[in-house]
Amino acid sequence: MEADNMAGGKEPRRLPVWACIPLFIVILFILLGFYGTLARGCLSLMPGGVEACQPGVMGYIILEASMLLAVFTAALPMLRLERRPFSDLGLSLRGHVKGLWYGFLMAILLYLSGFGISLVLGEIEVTGFQFEPLELLGSWVFFLLVALFEEILMRGYILGRLLHTTMNKFAALFVSAALFAFMHIFNPEIAFLPMLNLFLAGVLLGASYLYTHNLCFPISLHLFWNWIQGPILGYQVSGNNFTTSVLTLRMPEENVLNGGAFGFEGSLICTILMIVCTILIVWWGEKQEAISLAAPRSC
């Protein structure tokens, strides 16, 4: 029998990773279609119908909420099938609230550096300013739903499942980051450097999860990364333009330094900053692990 004895009992058999992740993705796609159809049905009942509502912030919020519902509905039976607790998704706030602040601060640091360097180099110019608080709040809610959906999917479930195998934790991180980049392959203006940066973004967002098994930091970083990039600074967000922005930008020339039509995520400046931030997170995580291992254990 291939069961390990643990505390006088037997650890239950689990589905192998090569089976559970594809099964989870198949279930997720079915549910995305189902809930997406319901969401579009709701939109069609609004004044003006689906064509009038979908491009607006409220339409995007409803559609993204249906995607978040789909990932939860797909994850719950899979966790039960694998005999894993719901806490394995890493959504607990207890002891991890500071991760929300750290994610916000890292997003601020990334854009203070990246946007500042781009301005100094003359790669972007600010040509306008407008402040629409309701639109800004709506875009924040939308990008919160985006962050929740993508982090629960890619880090909470997929990376979390890979970390339950004998796979090296960094190999698991790279696999999940590659899948994260692949899910954006049909985004507008996609090219080699944006794909590389999306892979690096997956590594950056997942790095802290290797050590905390919690999503507070990556959700916060993901949320504020997108929100500051698009609705505030005026960049495209992964090639998309979802809402109006506080600043209006002009690029004298579209190139690898400013990211062109893909936005800041398509820039070489972004590449360098994400590598530096990932190294800092891994350095912190390895240091914490070393301290934990060196600490005396009570009997």
Side-chain angles (χ1 to χ4, degrees):
M1 295 179 65
E2 297 180 5
D4 297 333
N5 290 328
M6 294 187 67
K10 294 180 178 180
E11 184 180 3
R13 285 187 176 184
R14 303 180 190 277
L15 283 176
V17 67
W18 57 263
C20 66
I21 290 180
L23 178 59
F24 168 73
I25 291 173
V26 169
I27 295 172
L28 176 62
F29 269 98
I30 293 171
L31 290 170
L32 284 172
F34 175 69
Y35 287 128
T37 300
L38 291 180
R40 286 177 172 82
C42 292
L43 286 172
S44 67
L45 299 176
M46 298 174 69
V50 64
E51 291 81 5
C53 298
Q54 185 172 337
V57 174
M58 184 54 66
Y60 285 127
I61 288 174
I62 291 173
L63 291 173
E64 196 64 40
S66 73
M67 295 172 69
L68 180 59
L69 181 60
V71 78
F72 269 121
T73 311
L76 290 176
M78 288 302 300
L79 290 172
R80 184 174 180 82
L81 184 64
E82 298 168 47
R83 296 176 173 85
R84 293 168 55 199
F86 180 76
S87 59
D88 267 14
L89 288 181
L91 292 171
S92 174
L93 288 174
R94 180 175 295 179
H96 295 281
V97 172
K98 60 183 179 182
L100 298 174
W101 289 106
Y102 290 154
F104 169 69
L105 291 173
M106 180 162 281
I108 294 289
L109 175 64
L110 279 162
Y111 281 110
L112 280 176
S113 304
F115 188 70
I117 291 170
S118 298
L119 281 175
V120 170
L121 294 178
E123 294 296 332
I124 54 171
E125 298 173 359
V126 178
T127 60
F129 176 88
Q130 59 177 340
F131 182 66
E132 300 180 13
L134 290 180
E135 190 84 4
L136 206 56
L137 176 61
S139 66
W140 187 90
V141 173
F142 167 67
F143 283 118
L144 172 62
L145 295 173
V146 170
L148 286 167
F149 168 72
E150 295 189 0
E151 292 310 310
I152 292 169
L153 169 60
M154 301 308 308
R155 260 62 67 177
Y157 183 82
I158 292 179
L159 179 55
R161 183 63 184 85
L162 292 172
L163 291 175
H164 275 275
T165 69
T166 57
M167 183 182 294
N168 176 274
K169 65 184 179 184
F170 293 111
L173 177 62
F174 292 155
V175 169
S176 67
L179 291 173
F180 177 72
F182 183 76
M183 73 182 288
H184 295 84
I185 197 168
F186 296 113
N187 281 33
E189 309 298 335
I190 198 71
F192 172 76
L193 187 56
M195 279 297 290
L196 173 62
N197 282 350
L198 286 167
F199 170 77
L200 292 174
V203 175
L204 172 62
L205 289 165
S208 69
Y209 190 86
L210 299 182
Y211 306 100
T212 65
H213 292 267
N214 186 269
L215 292 178
C216 283
F217 177 84
I219 286 173
S220 179
L221 175 57
H222 199 149
L223 160 63
F224 288 105
W225 171 277
N226 284 338
W227 190 62
I228 294 172
Q229 179 179 199
I232 294 183
L233 296 181
Y235 285 104
Q236 301 287 90
V237 179
S238 301
N240 294 292
N241 184 17
F242 295 104
T243 65
T244 60
S245 59
V246 174
L247 301 182
T248 303
L249 300 182
R250 187 181 78 85
M251 298 178 183
E253 178 187 13
E254 293 187 358
N255 54 45
V256 296
L257 286 179
N258 56 36
F262 195 78
F264 182 71
E265 293 170 6
S267 71
L268 195 58
I269 296 172
C270 179
T271 308
I272 296 169
L273 289 173
M274 286 194 294
I275 290 173
V276 171
C277 287
T278 302
I279 290 172
L280 290 173
I281 291 173
V282 172
W283 170 82
W284 169 84
E286 292 295 316
K287 183 178 178 181
Q288 294 303 308
E289 279 196 349
I291 292 172
S292 177
L293 289 172
R297 296 178 182 272
S298 59
C299 297

